[in-house]
Amino acid sequence: MMEILDGVKLRIGLTDTMQDNLLNELIEDATARVLAYINQDGVINRTVPSAVTWVIKDVVVKMYNRIGDEGKAASGEGNVSNTWETIDLSKYADGLDVYRDSSQSRRPGMRFV
């Protein structure tokens, strides 16, 4: 988990430890989301494969950048505008589906993550 924390801090430009508790909370949430996505096919994985920790880092950075703006889809002021995308793990499907039991024969229908 320290590797993920260090990677996230590097990506968002933090060098101190003042935000570590918050970042660890976000890492736990993102990890739970990834595990929920991977475990949808009945095979229980209790740890995130190291090959997909990049997904957790990416999701945590997005979550961190949205703090204070959680409900917004977009905002603007003058010539500056910001747009926040929904944190949807299906966009990481190529990397995550490898760790799902039925990744070759995905069942149609709704999936809740």
Side-chain angles (χ1 to χ4, degrees):
M1 186 133 120
M2 285 303 291
E3 290 178 22
I4 294 174
L5 177 63
D6 292 341
V8 168
K9 289 173 72 171
L10 180 66
R11 291 177 184 203
I12 58 179
L14 294 178
T15 56
D16 58 31
T17 59
M18 294 179 67
Q19 299 290 323
D20 283 7
N21 288 338
L22 171 63
L23 292 174
N24 282 320
E25 175 69 23
L26 296 177
I27 290 168
E28 287 178 21
D29 183 40
T31 300
R33 290 177 186 214
V34 168
L35 286 173
Y37 183 92
I38 291 172
N39 289 330
Q40 287 184 32
D41 292 326
V43 176
I44 304 299
N45 295 311
R46 300 201 188 281
T47 57
V48 175
S50 61
V52 295
T53 56
W54 64 272
V55 173
I56 294 172
K57 291 176 189 176
D58 196 49
V59 169
V60 170
V61 169
K62 288 177 184 177
M63 293 167 77
Y64 180 82
N65 287 335
R66 289 175 48 173
I67 292 177
D69 292 321
E70 286 87 351
K72 292 183 184 177
S75 76
E77 186 175 323
N79 292 333
V80 178
S81 65
N82 295 311
T83 303
W84 294 268
E85 65 181 64
T86 307
I87 298 173
D88 180 11
L89 291 181
S90 65
K91 80 178 237 179
Y92 304 103
D94 290 344
L96 295 175
D97 281 353
V98 174
Y99 299 96
R100 294 178 65 188
D101 189 38
S102 66
S103 62
Q104 276 71 31
S105 59
R106 212 175 207 183
R107 293 183 299 250
M110 296 177 63
R111 295 182 309 164
F112 299 95
V113 177

